Amino acid sequence: MAEKELAKVYEPQAVEEKWYQTWEREGYFRAEAVSDKPSYSIVIPPPNVTGALHMGHALNNTLQDILCRWKRMSGHNVLWMPGTDHAGIATQNVVERQLAAEGKSRHELGREEFIERVWKWKGESGGQIIGQLKRLGASCDWERERFTMDEGLSRAVREVFVRLYEEGLIYRDNRLINWCPRCHTALSDIEVEHEEKAGSLWHLRYPVVDQPGRFVVVATTRPETMLGDTAVAVHPEDERYADLVGKTVLLPLMNRQIPVVADDYVDREFGTGVVKITPAHDFNDFEVGRRHNLDVVNVFDESGVVNAAGHQYEGMDRFAARKRIVDDLEAQGLLEKIDDHALAVGGCYRCKTVVEPYLSLQWYVKVGPLAEEALAAVKDGRTRIVPQQWENTYFDWMENIRDWCISRQIWWGHRIPAWYCDHCGKTTVAKVDPTRCEKCGSDEIRQETDVLDTWFSSALWPFSTMGWPDQTPELKTFYPTSCLVTGFDILFFWVARMMMMGLHFMGEVPFRDVYIHALVRDAQGQKMSKSKGNVIDPLVVIDQYGTDAFRFTLAAFAAQGRDIKLAEERIAGYRNFANKIWNASRFALMNLEGFDPDAVDPAELQLSNADRWILYRLNAAAAETREALEAYRYNDAANTLYRFTWSEFCDWYIELVKDDLYRGDEGRQRTARYVLWQVLEHLLRLLHPFMPFITEEIWQAIPGKRPTATIMTAQWPTPNPAWDFVAGAAEMELVMEVIRGIRNIRGEMDVAPSREIAVILNCGSEASLQLLKKNEVYIMSLARVSDLAIGTGLVRPVDAAISVAGDVEVAVPLRGLVDVVEEEKRLLKEIGKLDKDVEFLAKKLENPSFVERAPADVVAKEREKLAEFSQKKEVLLASLDKIRNLK
């Protein structure tokens, strides 16, 4: 491989663009449908075709890419399956807004023309997020990119729908669902976003029929729904109302008699122990209504406007009706009181309109039988959820699962393959569009206008993307997939549904592992939102700090079960890390100019303790990184590599080896260059999955032949048994501890870095004496020592500062080294300042109002500061004692 000089400064943008284009052009991301290599596969959680890269995407895809690059380098045939979701409601809304700007509506265009318009928008503007994922360095197999509405996936969706229908697992029923009065469609639970809002609890009097003057009081947060009340309920064991069960009360304003029923659903400890039952407008009430055969009275139309069943309130918007109803109840003396009451209000995830529980004829999947197998698959370990704490959440949801409403009243999506016969009323469900009714043969059939819930098609993603229902080589090679990386918010709505569909149609789980990552929050731990103005845009920070720094930041903070608190300063810190790698590599390359590592016989090298130590530590870093990645401990893997790179390689080995490189004989120079080359080359490969661009750029510049053209397919480093220098590494650690001891004394005594000092090393054994004499050149250069005495039983000077390293006492004579008077003044001034800081923080933390009211992370931070200041004060007091002893 040809050597090339690295630029003085690392410029990420040019490097990133160059290498990504090369990788993609050369087909390095491509998976083989058939291969002798072990397979590893991940399907991307398909981002919405309307989407733009946000922090959640950045974290999710960075973690996936780390796994894919690591496994590719470990000799696996890796398929990272990319694609986008058609995002029914979101995409329809985008195009409807475009039409509105032109003064048109989808109804004016008609269904076919509107669908054409959406496809046109998708072709021109959709899928920009794919380009943004490429900027992130995502090594997906882009040649296999899929879209949930493409021909193959649409065929799979239809196959699944028809099979489930024929098995009796899909049915149509008139039930309560989440309804958006603006989008005019049913919504799944995940499409409803709940927000805590201040509200009211209205206490209403319902007169008891034939018992003049007697009322029952019910409390409600939605007085407008009382128009549809068909009962009031009490607990069967509530003695206060035992005589009322079976009797009737008069529904205020509507003057309709409704029964009093007894049901365990009622909490007799809450409020008055009486609740109104509105089966058409509350999910719990709907179930109570079914148990007691109550009437179901729908009082709203699809726009949330009161219909004819609301009598005098007909034509009023639901919230306007609320105000009028409360006024009328008050006028009639039937409003007992109003309490303030916080409540979680559900809004449509697209348009934010308050969602209405609405009675509607919809299509459902009977999920009970499907959920049983999906539950068993996690319990018996066929699929593992990491971190394990999420398994209980999964179990709770699967054990209490409700049938899934899969129909949506929009146009963009997979149209339900059901046809209704106007002649005999038969429903025909078919894989191929029928021309006649399968029962009576009439050609008077019309297709269902509803489309399927977006989650229906994405539930098939792990096998539909690989060509199912055809039995393709990809399915044979890559299904089940190895791992799914996703956020906890879609554990139920996507992961659970993929489990159910994969097991039912493939007879096997869709993935072996599910890794659930946490949220990316702001530096204060708050959720990022545009309204708070605390959103960090991944593309902006990539432009500012480079992709590698951004990726490494995300990995370094991706601790299991803990949200990531992200601040730009942290990304800036890891940009400094990228610069450190760059500068260390430039130093190495300058010293490797003209060096041919292939001409070196490692057996002939005379390794120093420093060489043995760094090779031993490199082995440890490789083992620890692999172990952490296997357990999905991304932060541990990143922190191992950070520590090895910055502290062990740059701060220690490069400094230790300079003397050999500059002043060593030919043999020492040759050995030092070889070890420097080995460590840098291995380190770049270890870092590559985390920081793909900078590692490729440097790797291409280092000398030596390579079996591969790119670092992407170079072998992942594994510990080399020949470098297992336990004894040599331990000896070097003692030398380094001695150097640290000297440096610490210099720091405590504020000795200028440029000033050389005298040091006495009193050894407790002959072994440490010989070791330190052998390595005195390192001690003198790295600790800036001009006069070094090494021996056993040496007399300790009275005026010396002391530290201990193993069985070695480190003494630094201070007389004449520091200005005692000035140093005492400096220390007293610093101690005085720390006294004030400690006193201020101690008072603050003794104040109950601060400790109880401030956020937990703020209190914790203040406690950390107090401990840090107190510790610093102890160190300064010890230094003060040493100085005073010199007087």
Side-chain angles (χ1 to χ4, degrees):
M1 183 180 292
E3 296 172 46
K4 66 188 185 74
E5 193 177 334
L6 294 182
K8 282 187 179 177
V9 178
Y10 178 55
E11 298 291 351
Q13 277 76 13
V15 169
E16 289 165 13
E17 190 175 341
K18 172 183 73 177
W19 285 117
Y20 199 90
Q21 285 178 1
T22 302
W23 295 330
E24 201 172 2
R25 183 181 66 246
E26 297 298 325
Y28 295 143
F29 305 153
R30 190 186 302 125
E32 299 300 327
V34 179
S35 171
D36 294 333
K37 293 180 181 178
S39 63
Y40 185 85
S41 55
I42 290 182
V43 290
I44 201 169
N48 287 353
V49 71
T50 57
L53 193 74
H54 58 60
M55 272 299 165
H57 292 130
L59 172 64
N60 182 277
N61 286 283
T62 294
L63 299 184
Q64 289 178 82
D65 195 48
I66 288 169
L67 292 176
C68 289
R69 288 179 182 271
W70 166 52
K71 286 293 183 180
R72 208 178 273 118
M73 294 176 77
S74 301
H76 288 69
N77 177 28
V78 175
L79 170 60
W80 184 8
M81 177 67 78
T84 48
D85 191 282
H86 65 279
I89 294 173
T91 308
Q92 179 154 316
N93 279 352
V94 166
V95 179
E96 283 199 84
R97 280 197 296 272
Q98 279 188 352
L99 289 173
E102 298 167 18
K104 298 175 189 170
S105 75
R106 67 178 161 115
H107 298 286
E108 287 172 46
L109 261 65
R111 185 171 192 133
E112 283 188 21
E113 198 176 328
F114 177 75
I115 297 298
E116 280 178 24
R117 177 76 180 248
V118 181
W119 276 110
K120 183 169 180 277
W121 173 85
K122 192 255 177 190
E124 292 171 356
S125 310
Q128 64 163 332
I129 195 167
I130 296 298
Q132 293 166 348
L133 287 173
K134 290 179 178 182
R135 285 211 60 196
L136 193 65
S139 60
C140 297
D141 188 342
W142 297 111
E143 292 175 23
R144 284 185 165 94
E145 185 185 338
R146 303 306 298 266
F147 177 55
T148 47
M149 288 276 286
D150 71 29
E151 193 177 330
L153 268 65
S154 297
R155 181 175 154 231
V157 166
R158 192 134 164 188
E159 180 82 21
V160 165
F161 185 93
V162 173
R163 282 202 210 174
L164 290 175
Y165 181 79
E166 289 171 349
E167 292 168 29
L169 293 174
I170 282 184
Y171 64 94
R172 199 169 180 233
D173 194 13
N174 207 29
R175 298 172 63 173
L176 212 58
I177 43 85
N178 297 304
W179 182 265
C180 176
R182 185 212 158 272
C183 298
H184 288 185
T185 184
L187 299 173
S188 66
D189 291 339
I190 199 172
E191 292 165 338
V192 179
E193 293 180 344
H194 290 90
E195 188 181 346
E196 195 77 16
K197 288 188 178 179
S200 299
L201 193 63
W202 287 270
H203 297 258
L204 316 178
R205 294 172 175 167
Y206 284 32
V208 179
V209 174
D210 296 333
Q211 294 189 32
R214 187 177 181 189
F215 299 90
V216 291
V217 177
V218 303
T220 180
T221 58
R222 305 186 63 219
E224 66 278 12
T225 64
M226 69 170 291
L227 304 175
D229 285 1
T230 56
V232 296
V234 297
H235 194 277
E237 294 169 16
D238 195 333
E239 293 173 4
R240 293 173 294 175
Y241 306 111
D243 64 316
L244 282 181
V245 176
K247 294 188 167 53
T248 58
V249 296
L250 193 67
L251 180 62
L253 307 179
M254 306 303 285
N255 296 319
R256 186 170 75 238
Q257 288 191 24
I258 57 175
V260 180
V261 298
D263 197 279
D264 289 335
Y265 156 67
V266 180
D267 179 359
R268 53 184 162 171
E269 306 301 323
F270 181 76
T272 61
V274 185
V275 296
K276 60 193 278 305
I277 302 297
T278 322
H281 298 288
D282 182 277
F283 288 103
N284 291 314
D285 292 3
F286 181 75
E287 297 303 327
V288 174
R290 281 194 157 183
R291 287 197 288 273
H292 297 276
N293 295 316
L294 299 176
D295 291 337
V296 180
V297 179
N298 187 359
V299 296
F300 300 129
D301 67 12
E302 61 180 18
S303 299
V305 172
V306 179
N307 61 22
H311 297 308
Q312 67 266 38
Y313 303 100
E314 183 180 0
M316 297 182 74
D317 173 78
R318 54 191 167 150
F319 298 116
R322 174 186 293 182
K323 188 175 185 311
R324 176 76 63 82
I325 286 165
V326 170
D327 290 345
D328 290 350
L329 288 166
E330 190 170 22
Q332 293 183 27
L334 297 175
L335 178 63
E336 180 156 301
K337 62 173 179 173
I338 306 173
D339 292 334
D340 292 335
H341 184 73
L343 64 158
V345 177
C348 173
Y349 80 119
R350 278 297 150 195
C351 67
K352 313 305 176 194
T353 302
V354 175
V355 166
E356 190 65 48
Y358 191 66
L359 193 66
S360 178
L361 187 60
Q362 302 285 347
W363 289 86
Y364 291 87
V365 173
K366 192 184 291 182
V367 291
L370 301 171
E372 280 178 31
E373 185 63 21
L375 191 59
V378 174
K379 286 187 171 176
D380 65 25
R382 279 175 283 162
T383 289
R384 180 174 65 131
I385 297 177
V386 182
Q388 196 176 359
Q389 70 203 49
W390 288 108
E391 285 189 0
N392 288 330
T393 312
Y394 175 85
F395 295 152
D396 287 346
W397 192 75
M398 294 300 271
E399 284 161 1
N400 299 289
I401 197 166
R402 292 192 305 196
D403 284 358
W404 171 18
C405 175
I406 54 170
S407 44
R408 297 290 179 269
Q409 290 65 52
I410 56 175
W411 289 350
W412 173 244
H414 295 103
R415 194 166 173 182
I416 291 175
W419 285 259
Y420 306 118
C421 179
D422 291 331
H423 189 67
C424 72
K426 166 75 177 171
T427 299
T428 300
V429 170
K431 295 175 191 174
V432 179
D433 290 7
T435 54
R436 297 182 174 278
C437 171
E438 66 179 14
K439 183 180 178 185
C440 71
S442 169
D443 60 3
E444 293 177 37
I445 59 171
R446 55 192 167 79
Q447 188 176 356
E448 168 66 80
T449 55
D450 289 358
V451 300
L452 287 164
D453 175 14
T454 298
W455 295 103
F456 190 91
S457 49
S458 52
L460 320 181
W461 190 249
F463 55 93
S464 65
T465 51
M466 295 187 200
W468 187 91
D470 295 335
Q471 294 307 305
T472 62
E474 281 82 0
L475 277 172
K476 190 175 179 183
T477 301
F478 296 111
Y479 189 95
T481 64
S482 309
C483 178
L484 178 80
V485 178
T486 188
F488 64 85
D489 51 341
I490 53 174
L491 176 59
F492 321 128
F493 305 103
W494 188 45
V495 179
R497 286 166 179 170
M498 285 190 286
M499 287 287 286
M500 291 189 283
M501 293 300 192
L503 283 159
H504 193 72
F505 289 98
M506 295 296 296
E508 179 62 279
V509 293
F511 16 74
R512 299 296 183 202
D513 288 346
V514 177
Y515 175 72
I516 307 286
H517 62 72
L519 283 176
V520 183
R521 297 181 178 273
D522 71 7
Q524 282 70 48
Q526 294 188 68
K527 193 170 180 179
M528 290 186 186
S529 70
K530 287 178 183 174
S531 59
K532 287 179 187 165
N534 63 348
V535 171
I536 299 175
D537 185 335
L539 297 164
V540 170
V541 295
I542 283 172
D543 283 342
Q544 196 167 351
Y545 303 108
T547 299
D548 290 320
F550 178 51
R551 285 171 59 117
F552 201 88
T553 308
L554 293 173
F557 287 98
Q560 286 184 14
R562 205 161 64 229
D563 286 345
I564 293 173
K565 293 179 184 177
L566 190 66
E568 279 204 34
E569 305 89 79
R570 286 174 168 168
I571 306 168
Y574 286 109
R575 178 191 55 189
N576 295 341
F577 178 55
N579 290 339
K580 186 83 170 175
I581 295 166
W582 188 259
N583 292 334
S585 300
R586 289 189 76 243
F587 166 83
L589 290 172
M590 280 189 286
N591 284 282
L592 293 173
E593 200 172 319
F595 177 69
D596 180 8
D598 302 304
V600 175
D601 179 359
E604 293 176 359
L605 297 175
Q606 297 298 310
L607 297 175
S608 68
N609 272 347
D611 298 330
R612 291 188 180 94
W613 171 78
I614 195 66
L615 292 170
Y616 177 78
R617 293 304 305 148
L618 177 61
N619 263 359
E624 287 169 27
T625 305
R626 187 196 66 242
E627 183 192 345
L629 286 175
E630 282 172 349
Y632 302 105
R633 297 194 324 271
Y634 294 93
N635 61 313
D636 289 343
N639 292 331
T640 291
L641 292 174
Y642 181 89
R643 185 182 64 247
F644 177 80
T645 305
W646 194 297
S647 176
E648 297 177 333
F649 181 54
C650 296
D651 287 358
W652 278 107
Y653 184 69
I654 284 180
E655 295 306 315
L656 287 165
V657 84
K658 280 179 179 175
D659 197 71
D660 291 335
L661 290 170
Y662 300 154
R663 288 177 287 279
D665 59 29
E666 190 181 334
R668 275 306 306 139
Q669 279 190 354
R670 185 178 175 80
T671 300
R673 293 173 90 187
Y674 183 77
V675 174
L676 184 63
W677 170 81
Q678 277 282 17
V679 176
L680 177 60
E681 198 276 335
H682 276 71
L683 176 57
L684 292 171
R685 284 187 278 142
L686 285 170
L687 282 166
H688 177 74
F690 300 84
M691 307 177 85
F693 296 105
I694 192 170
T695 51
E696 181 77 273
E697 180 74 4
I698 299 166
W699 192 80
Q700 296 288 347
I702 61 179
K705 291 172 187 166
R706 301 286 181 279
T708 61
T710 170
I711 193 172
M712 268 193 63
T713 52
Q715 187 182 353
W716 173 259
T718 54
N720 184 345
W723 297 345
D724 197 20
F725 301 117
V726 179
E731 289 178 353
M732 194 63 214
E733 288 285 358
L734 178 62
V735 176
M736 291 160 67
E737 209 176 326
V738 166
I739 294 168
R740 279 192 207 100
I742 301 168
R743 285 173 169 177
N744 288 342
I745 292 170
R746 294 184 69 114
E748 287 165 17
M749 294 297 136
D750 202 29
V751 177
S754 58
R755 186 164 182 184
E756 293 192 330
I757 59 174
V759 173
I760 299 163
L761 301 179
N762 211 340
C763 301
S765 66
E766 185 64 26
S768 55
L769 172 66
Q770 293 306 320
L771 175 68
L772 296 181
K773 281 193 168 180
K774 186 179 168 187
N775 290 280
E776 64 182 318
V777 66
Y778 296 142
I779 298 167
M780 294 185 75
S781 63
L782 267 66
R784 301 285 293 161
V785 175
S786 56
D787 185 2
L788 179 64
I790 306 171
T792 55
L794 299 177
V795 177
R796 180 205 296 175
V798 179
D799 61 353
I802 306 296
S803 74
V804 177
D807 68 347
V808 179
E809 181 186 84
V810 179
V812 177
L814 295 174
R815 195 170 298 279
L817 186 64
V818 292
D819 183 325
V820 176
V821 175
E822 284 304 311
E823 185 60 14
E824 185 178 29
K825 277 185 196 172
R826 184 186 74 79
L827 289 168
L828 285 169
K829 186 178 177 183
E830 287 226 20
I831 291 165
K833 183 176 178 299
L834 282 169
D835 275 334
K836 286 180 185 173
D837 290 337
V838 167
E839 186 185 359
F840 171 75
L841 285 168
K843 278 184 181 172
K844 193 175 184 181
L845 289 163
E846 283 163 12
N847 182 351
S849 65
F850 168 72
V851 175
E852 288 161 19
R853 290 179 189 171
D857 63 320
V858 171
V859 175
K861 213 170 261 182
E862 296 295 271
R863 288 194 203 283
E864 280 172 25
K865 275 201 296 201
L866 177 60
E868 184 190 326
F869 290 161
S870 301
Q871 192 180 4
K872 197 171 180 184
K873 181 183 167 185
E874 292 302 316
V875 171
L876 292 176
L877 284 170
S879 298
L880 186 62
D881 281 345
K882 289 173 188 171
I883 286 293
R884 283 175 170 165
N885 286 336
L886 298 177
K887 285 184 172 180

